[in-house]
Amino acid sequence: VQLQASGGGLVQAGDSLRLSCAASGRVLSRHDMGWFRQASGKEREFVAVISWREGATYYPDSVKGRFTISRDNAKNTVYLQMNSLKPEDTAVYYCAAKPSSSLWGTVSNDYEYWGQGTLVTVSS
């Protein structure tokens, strides 16, 4: 099982960016998908999660209203649309998968599979 994150880059504050996470195999089946980020010198931070069954989503306040997670199970791909980017959004972004459950999964230990990360840099 592999997760391949892509779409990162250098943007200016206020710009938008869409990250993609392509999954090999059937990892998206019966797995909730999440995005985390880790800024330099900081701990990994939860960004978004989407459930496998209903496509329900959950975000922390820091990105709510600006970021949108979505999934295309037919393409085995999860997306993170990021709008109104701020310099504090600068980080390496990781996608991750966890077995579907009733829990949102907001900590790293909840997740079984991880992608390699893609760097997002937002300049002021």
Side-chain angles (χ1 to χ4, degrees), residues 42-58:
K42 295 187 177 181
E43 294 186 352
R44 193 165 295 190
E45 176 189 18
F46 166 72
V47 173
V49 62
I50 185 166
S51 69
W52 166 71
R53 189 176 298 275
E54 300 88 6
T57 59
Y58 180 73

Side-chain angles (χ1 to χ4, degrees), residues 4 11 16 20 33 47 59 64 66 77 80 83 110 122:
Q4 183 75 31
V11 297
S16 298
S20 299
M33 299 297 296
V47 173
Y59 310 89
K64 191 178 297 182
R66 300 189 299 121
T77 302
L80 184 67
N83 299 330
D110 292 333
V122 184

Side-chain angles (χ1 to χ4, degrees), residues 19-35:
L19 306 182
S20 299
C21 176
S24 66
R26 295 176 57 84
V27 66
L28 288 192
S29 175
R30 303 185 185 277
H31 280 78
D32 302 332
M33 299 297 296
W35 285 94

Side-chain angles (χ1 to χ4, degrees), residues 5 11-12 37 39-40 47 49 59 64 68 71 75-76 88 97 119 123:
V11 297
Q12 294 186 335
R37 66 186 181 187
S40 180
V47 173
V49 62
Y59 310 89
K64 191 178 297 182
T68 303
R71 62 192 297 162
K75 295 183 178 180
N76 281 336
E88 51 263 43
L119 176 63
S123 64

